[in-house]
Each structure stands twice: as structure tokens, then as C-alpha cells.
Amino acid sequence: MSDPIRFYFQGKVRQLDGVAPTRTVLQHLREDLHCTGTKEGCAEGDCGACTVVIGSLENGALELKAVNSCIQFAATLDGKALFSVEDLQQPDGALHPVQQAIVECHGSQCGFCTPGFVMSLWGMYLKQDLMRENTQPSRCQVDDALSGNLCRCTGYRPIIDAARRMGELPPVAFDRAALAAQLLELRREQLATYSAGGTSFFAPRTLDELAEVRAAHPAALLLAGSTDIGLWVTKQLRDIGDIIYLGHVDALKAVTEAGGFIDIGAGATLEDAYRAICKHYPDQLSEMWQRFASLPIRNAGTLGGNVANGSPIGDSMPWLIALGAELVLRGPAGVRAMPLEAFYLGYQKKDLRAGEFVQAVRVPMPRAGVQFRTYKLAKRFDQDISAVCAAFALRIDGGVVAHARIAFGGMAATPQRAARTEALLQGRQWSEATLREAMAMLAVDYAPLSDMRASSGYRMKAAQNLLRRFWFETRGENPLAPADVNAFARRIEGASA
């Protein structure tokens, strides 16, 4: 039997049957529901023309998040609410304040990107309504909300003006209670299985159900935020087979603190994960939080997915490894934990046994005496893949390096520690002479490749200079403040409030 996909859209419950599990939300909107306001630009979650807002109940609370519909599968809508640009018109035909602000501030020229901007701004409008003590968004908050939207003709200044203007117009309320009640009626309490075209889409609700389904279907693809897997379908045209969807397992989204660790459930979104971690590492990770992809990607993608993907350029792994994070894995044989760096065996090869899945990422809380920094080098500030990502965690006692953990992304086939450089630093004075030796030793630890993002030579020089920057910030005499070494210091202030 196949359970239908049920979701709330334009004032009523819709039902999907017989549609391929990998049909995207964008395809369903435009081709099946004939709601063509939402546009297709890149079909890979980069341009934002397809932005929609998804409503869901998370631990009983309603959450409304802007996401990219081009890489989200329609099957993941079960039990949720879908809002597109067509939903913003008021009952009397008037424009929503977001739309009216775009008109008044001349925030549209060709108009192709406009629906996506409107939906991203609407997502922020709803968020600001909850933040009643600060209804006027800061420039940093506007930049962050629009980080996933590209415009090639209007220019961003009038759109940013509209973001500020929308809060000055007569407000339009959103009935959260009514939507939450509607979604509560759609909520399933146990495993649902949707099948079409010979492919099955399993949606467990508990960890036990997930473990059982995973054991029964070890070859099925685990799907969380779809920010990477969606491209396998839209760009590579792959048949990905049966799918196990993690998005309804509430226990996987939990964030807990105990025993000096922050346990981030593998299903927690990147936005939620970074928010929790930055409470403990505000100065060290807030910029990474803002620069990790875009807000719609962080609203959908998960920290567990970023880690389990095993990409050599994933931005989370270097700082997790430098901090000494562990993975908690669950499988038929039970639960086991391992250091994150031990999880990666080679390019796209992981120490993951049949039937296992990542249950949580365990992050150490700050420790006394440890100097920790992470840096990202990319061609753009927002929404760009790193050429080099570096993380350093050194415990310095009396000017001597007592312990060192250094990790880089983009420098090897996997996120990798600089073992020889760490050994060289151990027990040495944290001096400029030691720094120069350590910079030279990085060339022994790594042999980076050249690709479209950077040459091998650039990557090595950049890695060495990032170590030098770390020394400037942490040297015993006259350490430099972030504003002295970071060109973006002003931009990141108050970004992800």
C-alpha cells in the first residue's frame, strides 16, 4: 500500500498520488498546480528565483522557512504547508506590504527574480513579526535574508530599500494558530510509505522506525535537506532509487547539552545547529554561520548531512575536527561513537557499516586556554564554495603550545588534519620563528589539487597565510583584533540574530 502525500496549500489540503517521489516542489507548483509565479532559474538552489516558504510543526511549534523549491522533493511536503508568491495577495486584492514595498522602491526591472525576492522578504517579515522588539531589520539581517537571491538587472540597493520599507507599511497579520491547528490534523504518528513508479519513499517518525527501515533497506538513500541530493536529480538526472526521509524524525532534530558537549541531532538544520553552537562560540563561528551557503539552504540542509556527505570542501568539517568533535552512529549492532576525522577513509568513502546512519554530531564546549579560529576563503562573501577552509585549535600555556589540532578543507581528498604541523608545534614557544617552521611544514602535510576554484599553489600559500593570520590574532604580545585582520568585520555584526 502507498500512503498519499498530504499538504496544506491555498486554504485547503492537497493530496498527491502516483507522482514520482523525486518530482520537485517547483515542478509540482508550475506544471501540476499551474502556479507559475514561482520561477526556475538555476535548478540547483543558487539563484533563489524559485523561493517558497514551507510551514511545519517542529516539536509542536510552527516554523515558517524560506527554501529553494527547485531541489526539494514534493514527497517531503507531507504534513507541511506550502506558500508561493500567489499566496501574498490580500482578500481585497491589495498587495502585501512586501510586494507594495518592492513597487514603491522600484525593486524590480525584468521581474524574473522578483517572486523569489518577495518570498525571501516575506520569510523575514514573518520572522520580524515574532521579534516585536525589533521590527526594523538591520542591514546585516537584510543581507542574510537575501543571500540566496540573485538579481542581474535591478541592482540590490532598491531591493534592500524595500526590505526596510515593508516594515513601515500597515502590517498584515498571519494566523499562525490556525495553520498550526491544520498541520496538527495532518500529522502522522507512525511510519508512512509512499510509492510510485516502482520507487518507495519511506518517512519514519521515530529513531526506532528509522533503524528498522534502514536495516530492511540498507541500499536506500538517506535524504535530509536535499540541498545536495536534489542536484543529483535536477543536474545529473540520476535515478536515486528508494529513499528514506529523515525530516519527520523529531529526535534527530534535538539539540542537547551535557557533560561538556553539545549534541546536534543529525536532522537539525544548519541554521538551528549553527545557532546553538554560536551561543558558545560567538566570536569564532558567527562569520562561518553567515557565510555557510545561503539562508534558504541553511533552512533546509542539515549539519548531519553536511558531515555524512564527506565532501572535501564541506565548511563544517574543518572546525568540527579541530574542536575534536565526534560522530554518534546507530545501526543494527547498536550505537557507536568515533572521532569525526576517523569517519573519512578516502574521497567519498566513509566508515559507515551496512544499515548504519549518523544519529548526532557531538561538539565539545569551549575549554580554558584553547585558542580557536576558523577561516573561509572564497571568491564571494555569500553563498560560495570555499577554495580553502581552515580551523585551528591550540592550547597555549605560558606561551608554549601544549596541544594543537589543525584541520583544512579543500586541501586533500577529505577534510584532513595537519598531523606533522601539529607535532612540530607541540611543546614549542608560540613565536614567529615557530610559526615560520609550521607554515613550511604545511607543505609536507598537504598536496592540494588545482581546479576551477583555485590552483594548487594558491591553496598552499593561502593555507600558510591563514596560519599566519591565526598567529597574529593569538600571539602573546600585541594580538590583533578581528577588525584589524578581517575585511568583513563590519558586515558580520548582528547578522543572524
Side-chain angles (χ1 to χ4, degrees):
M1 292 182 61
S2 176
D3 298 302
I5 303 299
R6 302 173 302 166
F7 65 98
Y8 184 81
F9 180 67
Q10 293 189 344
K12 62 182 180 181
V13 175
R14 306 276 177 157
Q15 185 165 302
L16 274 178
D17 290 291
V19 173
T22 54
R23 187 165 183 77
T24 67
V25 172
L26 178 61
Q27 290 170 326
H28 183 56
L29 268 175
R30 292 183 57 85
E31 299 171 15
D32 303 335
L33 299 176
H34 308 295
C35 293
T36 54
T38 308
K39 306 303 182 187
E40 178 176 340
C42 64
E44 58 186 35
D46 278 340
C47 74
C50 71
T51 304
V52 298
V53 169
I54 300 292
S56 61
L57 288 179
E58 304 296 342
N59 294 314
L62 177 66
E63 293 193 1
L64 294 153
K65 297 179 178 180
V67 301
N68 302 113
S69 64
C70 68
I71 52 175
Q72 293 296 314
F73 299 149
T76 65
L77 290 175
D78 190 54
K80 301 178 183 179
L82 171 64
F83 297 94
S84 67
V85 70
E86 286 88 353
D87 291 293
L88 269 63
Q89 179 175 294
Q90 301 307 295
D92 62 358
L95 297 178
H96 189 278
V98 174
Q99 297 167 308
Q100 185 63 39
I102 289 283
V103 172
E104 292 182 10
C105 297
H106 309 286
S108 179
Q109 286 188 32
C110 83
F112 189 85
C113 69
T114 305
F117 273 96
V118 165
M119 294 308 290
S120 288
L121 289 176
W122 188 56
M124 186 171 68
Y125 187 91
L126 296 172
K127 181 179 180 181
Q128 293 298 125
D129 183 43
L130 290 176
M131 299 163 57
R132 297 184 186 279
E133 73 281 2
N134 179 25
T135 56
Q136 183 70 275
S138 70
R139 174 59 189 270
C140 285
Q141 289 171 326
V142 172
D143 288 349
D144 199 34
L146 299 181
S147 59
N149 296 85
L150 300 180
C151 182
R152 292 176 172 85
C153 60
T154 302
Y156 288 88
R157 195 269 305 160
I159 300 173
I160 291 168
D161 289 346
R164 308 300 296 273
R165 173 62 177 152
M166 67 185 189
E168 301 169 352
L169 296 171
V172 170
F174 184 85
D175 195 340
R176 290 181 172 81
L179 179 59
Q182 183 67 63
L183 296 185
L184 191 60
E185 293 184 10
L186 290 177
R187 184 177 178 86
R188 300 181 192 272
E189 300 300 329
Q190 58 187 14
L191 170 74
T193 302
Y194 172 75
S195 299
T199 301
S200 293
F201 182 94
F202 303 99
R205 261 57 188 176
T206 67
L207 281 174
D208 287 342
E209 285 185 345
L210 172 57
E212 291 172 7
V213 172
R214 184 61 170 157
H217 303 274
L221 184 70
L222 294 177
L223 174 72
S226 196
T227 54
D228 189 33
I229 290 173
L231 276 67
W232 299 359
V233 174
T234 63
K235 292 299 182 181
Q236 300 177 17
L237 307 180
R238 287 168 56 177
D239 179 359
I240 58 177
D242 292 340
I243 297 169
I244 300 174
Y245 179 54
L246 311 180
H248 293 302
V249 183
D250 287 343
L252 278 184
K253 303 174 188 179
V255 178
T256 59
E257 298 179 8
F261 291 90
I262 313 162
D263 273 23
I264 309 290
T269 66
L270 286 159
E271 185 71 358
D272 290 343
Y274 271 91
R275 181 181 294 109
I277 294 166
C278 283
K279 290 178 182 177
H280 299 278
Y281 295 99
D283 297 331
Q284 300 91 340
L285 288 173
S286 289
E287 181 180 342
M288 181 61 75
W289 178 10
Q290 186 185 3
R291 297 189 64 194
F292 193 110
S294 65
L295 181 58
I297 293 296
R298 297 197 305 270
N299 280 340
T302 65
L303 183 63
N306 191 231
V307 166
N309 177 282
S311 169
I313 51 173
D315 286 338
S316 295
M317 283 80 88
W319 64 261
L320 285 169
I321 290 172
L323 287 177
E326 296 181 343
L327 283 188
V328 179
L329 307 176
R330 177 167 174 172
V335 176
R336 65 185 177 117
M338 68 165 60
L340 177 56
E341 64 263 33
F343 183 63
Y344 304 113
L345 306 178
Y347 180 70
Q348 295 293 305
K349 294 181 179 180
K350 292 150 285 189
D351 184 7
L352 199 61
R353 301 168 186 169
E356 272 191 332
F357 58 89
V358 178
Q359 180 172 302
V361 182
R362 184 165 290 161
V363 185
M365 291 187 187
R367 290 153 293 181
V370 174
Q371 295 281 3
F372 167 59
R373 301 287 192 282
T374 186
Y375 308 112
K376 172 173 178 166
L377 286 184
K379 294 180 180 178
R380 300 194 305 266
F381 179 87
D382 290 312
Q383 198 183 7
D384 200 7
I385 295 173
S386 296
V388 177
C389 188
F392 308 98
L394 271 63
R395 192 175 81 247
I396 302 172
D397 296 331
V400 175
V401 179
H403 187 68
R405 290 181 68 93
I406 297 172
F408 281 90
M411 296 287 287
T414 66
Q416 184 175 301
R417 287 178 66 179
R420 294 177 179 86
T421 305
E422 292 175 355
L424 181 148
L425 290 171
Q426 195 82 19
R428 300 282 297 276
Q429 285 287 329
W430 187 223
S431 64
E432 188 166 8
T434 301
L435 167 70
R436 287 195 294 267
E437 291 184 48
M439 290 172 64
M441 188 60 72
L442 287 176
V444 179
D445 275 315
Y446 299 104
L449 298 175
S450 296
D451 60 21
M452 67 181 69
R453 282 178 289 278
S455 68
S456 174
Y458 172 85
R459 282 192 162 104
M460 179 54 65
K461 180 61 70 176
Q464 292 170 331
N465 284 341
L466 287 174
L467 180 57
R468 180 185 292 275
R469 174 177 167 179
F470 175 70
W471 180 78
F472 277 131
E473 293 184 33
T474 59
R475 61 189 180 184
E477 184 178 346
N478 191 29
L480 297 182
D484 297 324
V485 292
N486 188 352
F488 302 118
R490 287 180 176 269
R491 181 167 183 184
I492 64 176
E493 291 176 2
S496 296

